[in-house]
């Protein structure tokens, strides 16, 4: 048996965009979509839910407990539960990952709103803001840094978790791992790992950039 | 005018924050609510703009019950300065100041122009307008807080311990600044503090509240110092009331004598010192036009011969006042003897005026 090199560049070249569903570029695209949809859905659900938890304090503990239980379940278990409902589709991966994102994002929204200093909230009331406007113009904007920090965690973990979906054939770049293991062929595995890491770093970098643009006022402020 | 009529605030757990408070807050003057923590001073303040609603009684603003006014509308017409400024961290200084004009629907250009005027009014460099709050010092932030409260030119200004989070030197300058502003603007200001010195310095009227939300005494600062209503007020005022009261007596009436020959002056007529065998000795000055009797007395105490040097605005010697001259004025302003109104205060309420003060000075 000849020594198998760690990376066969010709394999990458042949499989980057061969037009089929297993092309690396197609898997990459799949991966991006399946990683970002849960974060997007998570944010859309976490915002009102987080607001509700702030408005009705008693909601917060049960909600967080429920989300943490979900979070503690191995993703594989969740996948198999949803497999029986949604079958071998993307939803079977996206729905559990949405729950994972929620487990991070709901506390982030709640903590974000709690991070609004009391004098700021009170002076908004005293200036004559009505509740909705106060939320939209003062409280949510001031909560942005904390929410974005949660969003970074949710995004990166979502990018890495998508690969587990490979077990049901919906794992984006994770499919490369299965392919590699089955054939004792390292190149797809290396390609998968590298692309996932690059994707995670890139997404995180974009969010940091977004934070800089959105909240120029928060730099060096936290210690004050 | 703001009127409290039998106002009580009782919380659900039974705590009474404000107990049957009745008072009138005069228009165009500074009224200070002062007292220890738990005396309901902040609660009383916040009932004016309905951040807290009274349990019973009513508060009227120019005759109208504040409860009949929509809270947000009411608040936009009342300036509010909070402890630690409470600036919006995500908004530039200019937009922080323009907050209420924006809420009132002014266009951006007009609101910002107004904000710039106000920054100047409170003595801030217009270059700060584009900065964010975190880039400003505590004292600067507090000035922005005052500017923001004044932006829509409200007739009433509520100030909730606005200067308590800054260091003493900055606090003193902010206090002076407020007095200067007030001499121009003549707002109706309600100012809350736990610092009696601040209350006495700023207040045209001082309302002393005691724990449990009861009004202990409401009076002008000079009256408060000489005639505290009871032991609580006297203790709260602290020591040196007699000396502190001198701050409210103008030095204008001090009898001046011509400067004696042993007072050395420079070519402009400014004092250099008292000539003695060992050279020039220290001296103290006061400006009879602007300073108080306290400053004059202080100046006298600073000179080895007990003579205060009176100077004019340019610092030129106008004359001198010996301790005898100061004493004449002190006698003239001695507190009233044995006022009939103060019966309750365990013996010391009566008695000869200076005697009561002396026994009071001893530690209890």
């Amino acid at each position: 048996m000849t020594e198998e090199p760690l990376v066969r560049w010709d394999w990458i070249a042949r499989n980057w965009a061969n037009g089929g569903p297993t092309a690396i570029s197609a898997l990459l695209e799949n991966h991006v979509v399946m990683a970002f949809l849960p974060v997007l859905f998570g944010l859309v659900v976490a915002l009102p839910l987080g607001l509700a938890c702030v408005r009705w304090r008693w909601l917060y503990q049960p909600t967080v407990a429920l989300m943490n239980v979900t979070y503690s379940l191995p993703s594989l278990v969740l996948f198999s539960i949803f497999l029986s409902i949604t079958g071998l589709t993307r939803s079977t991966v996206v729905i559990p990952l949405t729950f994972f994102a929620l487990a991070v994002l709901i506390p982030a929204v709640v903590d974000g709103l709690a991070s609004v200093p009391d004098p700021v909230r009170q002076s908004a009331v005293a200036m004559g803001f009505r509740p909705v406007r106060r939320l939209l113009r003062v409280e949510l904007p001031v909560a942005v840094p904390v929410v974005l920090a949660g969003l970074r965690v949710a995004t990166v973990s979502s990018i890495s978790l998508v690969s587990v979906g490979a077990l049901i054939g919906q794992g984006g770049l994770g499919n490369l791992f299965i392919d590699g293991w089955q054939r004792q062929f390292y190149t797809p595995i290396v390609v998968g790992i590298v692309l996932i890491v690059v994707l995670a770093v890139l997404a995180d970098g974009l969010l940091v950039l977004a934070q800089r643009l959105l909240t120029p006022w928060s730099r060096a402020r936290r210690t004050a | 005018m703001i009127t409290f009529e039998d106002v009580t605030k009782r919380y659900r757990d039974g705590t009474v924050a404000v107990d049957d408070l009745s008072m009138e807050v005069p228009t165009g003057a500074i009224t200070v609510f002062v007292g220890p923590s738990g005396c309901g001073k902040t609660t009383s303040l916040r009932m004016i703009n309905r951040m807290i609603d009274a349990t019973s009684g009513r508060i009227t603003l120019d005759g109208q019950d504040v409860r009949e006014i929509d809270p947000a509308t009411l608040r936009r017409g009342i300036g509010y300065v909070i402890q630690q400024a409470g600036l919006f961290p995500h908004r530039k200084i200019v937009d922080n100041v323009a907050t209420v004009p924006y809420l009132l629907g002014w266009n951006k250009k007009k609101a910002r122009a107004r904000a710039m005027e106000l920054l100047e009014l409170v003595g801030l460099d217009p270059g700060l307008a584009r900065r964010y709050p975190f880039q400003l010092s505590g004292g600067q932030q507090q000035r922005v807080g005052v500017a923001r409260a004044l932006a829509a030119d409200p007739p009433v200004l509520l100030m909730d311990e606005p200067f308590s989070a800054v260091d003493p030197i900055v606090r003193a300058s902010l206090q002076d600044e407020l007095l200067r502003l007030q001499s121009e603007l003549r707002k109706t200001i309600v100012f809350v503090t736990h610092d009696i010195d601040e209350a006495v310095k700023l207040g045209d009227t001082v309302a002393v509240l005691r724990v449990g939300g009861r009004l202990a005494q409401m009076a002008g600062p000079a009256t408060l110092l000489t005639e505290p209503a009871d032991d609580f007020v006297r203790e709260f005022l602290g020591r040196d009331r007699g000396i502190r009261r001198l701050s409210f007596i103008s030095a204008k009436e001090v009898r001046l004598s011509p400067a004696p020959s042993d007072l050395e002056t420079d070519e402009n007529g400014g004092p250099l010192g008292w000539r003695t065998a060992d050279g020039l000795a220290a001296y103290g000055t006061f400006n009879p036009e602007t300073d108080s009797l306290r400053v004059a007395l202080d100046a006298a105490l600073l000179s080895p011969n007990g003579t205060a040097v009176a100077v004019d605005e340019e610092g030129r010697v106008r004359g001198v006042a010996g301790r005898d001259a100061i004493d004449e004025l002190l006698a003239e302003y001695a507190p009233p003897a044995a006022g009939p109104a103060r019966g309750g205060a365990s013996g010391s309420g009566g008695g000869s005026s200076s005697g009561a003060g002396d026994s009071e000075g001893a530690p209890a």
Side-chain angles (χ1 to χ4, degrees), chain B residues 1-4 23-25 48 59-62 156 188 190:
Chain B
M1 180 160 64
I2 304 166
T3 315
F4 285 70
M23 66 160 96
E24 284 181 359
V25 174
I48 297 172
I59 297 172
T60 61
L61 185 63
D62 294 328
V156 177
T188 302
V190 184

Side-chain angles (χ1 to χ4, degrees), chain B residues 212-276:
Chain B
R214 308 186 71 121
L215 182 63
Q217 186 174 8
M218 188 162 177
T223 312
L224 200 66
L225 285 166
T226 38
E227 300 172 70
D230 58 21
D231 287 340
F232 168 77
V233 178
R234 186 177 305 115
E235 241 170 74
F236 194 73
L237 282 163
R239 289 165 161 256
D240 309 326
R241 285 189 286 117
I243 295 283
R244 279 150 66 194
R245 191 181 70 107
L246 301 185
S247 303
F248 300 98
I249 300 169
S250 167
K252 216 176 267 185
E253 295 168 50
V254 176
R255 182 172 51 81
L256 297 182
S257 323
S261 58
D262 56 345
L263 180 67
E264 282 279 343
T265 56
D266 60 21
E267 65 272 25
N268 301 321
L272 289 171
W274 297 100
R275 203 176 321 112
T276 66

Side-chain angles (χ1 to χ4, degrees), chain A residues 119-120 122-130 133 137-138 141-142 216-217 219-221, chain B residues 46 51 70 72-73 75-76 80 82 84 86-90 99-100 103 132 134 148:
Chain A
V120 171
Q122 283 173 3
S123 67
V125 173
M127 295 292 121
F129 278 88
R130 292 200 168 85
R133 191 162 180 179
R137 295 292 178 80
V138 179
V142 175
W217 48 270
R219 251 170 280 170
R221 178 181 155 262
Chain B
R46 292 185 174 184
M51 288 172 78
D70 163 62
T73 311
R75 291 170 193 150
R76 289 171 195 176
Y80 195 92
I82 199 170
Q84 293 164 347
L87 300 182
F88 301 138
H90 60 300
T99 299
V100 179
L103 286 171
Y132 286 103
F134 82 91
R148 180 174 66 171

Side-chain angles (χ1 to χ4, degrees), chain A:
Chain A
M1 192 173 166
T2 56
E3 185 79 5
E4 173 66 26
L6 195 59
V7 178
R8 281 176 180 265
W9 295 99
D10 57 325
W11 182 86
I12 298 176
R14 266 184 286 116
N15 288 280
W16 180 257
N18 59 14
T22 58
I24 301 172
S25 59
L27 292 176
L28 181 64
E29 196 189 313
N30 257 331
H31 199 104
V32 171
V33 172
M34 279 196 291
F36 284 99
L37 281 181
V39 178
L40 189 69
F41 294 156
L43 195 61
V44 168
V45 177
L47 272 176
L49 220 53
L51 288 174
C53 286
V54 171
R55 176 72 182 75
W56 298 285
R57 275 278 150 193
W58 55 268
L59 255 178
Y60 184 48
Q61 283 314 326
T63 311
V64 167
L66 185 72
M67 290 304 149
N68 280 343
V69 170
T70 327
Y71 200 61
S72 69
L73 287 178
S75 41
L76 215 49
V77 176
L78 265 188
F79 285 173
S80 40
I81 292 172
F82 279 98
L83 192 57
S84 58
I85 306 167
T86 47
L88 290 170
T89 60
R90 269 187 186 174
S91 309
T92 308
V93 178
V94 170
I95 293 171
L97 288 188
T98 301
F99 279 101
F100 289 150
L102 278 177
V104 176
L105 290 176
I106 291 175
V109 171
V110 173
D111 292 347
L113 289 170
S115 78
V116 179
D118 228 29
V120 171
R121 187 175 287 116
Q122 283 173 3
S123 67
V125 173
M127 295 292 121
F129 278 88
R130 292 200 168 85
V132 174
R133 191 162 180 179
R134 190 174 86 222
L135 182 72
L136 296 177
R137 295 292 178 80
V138 179
E139 297 182 6
L140 282 176
V142 175
V144 162
V146 178
V147 176
L148 273 182
L151 203 62
R152 286 172 64 188
V153 175
T155 305
V156 170
S157 69
S158 185
I159 288 172
S160 110
L161 279 171
V162 164
S163 29
V164 184
L167 292 167
I168 58 159
Q170 291 287 356
L173 294 166
N175 291 351
L176 292 172
F177 300 152
I178 303 247
D179 182 34
W181 291 128
Q182 282 172 344
R183 295 197 282 152
Q184 290 294 305
F185 177 38
Y186 302 130
T187 305
I189 299 175
V190 174
V191 170
I193 291 173
V194 169
L195 285 180
I196 287 173
V197 170
V198 168
L199 209 53
V201 170
L202 214 64
D204 197 48
L206 279 176
L207 284 172
V208 171
L209 194 70
Q211 172 154 16
R212 295 233 153 180
L213 294 176
L214 282 174
T215 63
W217 48 270
S218 80
R219 251 170 280 170
R221 178 181 155 262
R222 285 292 144 206
T223 51

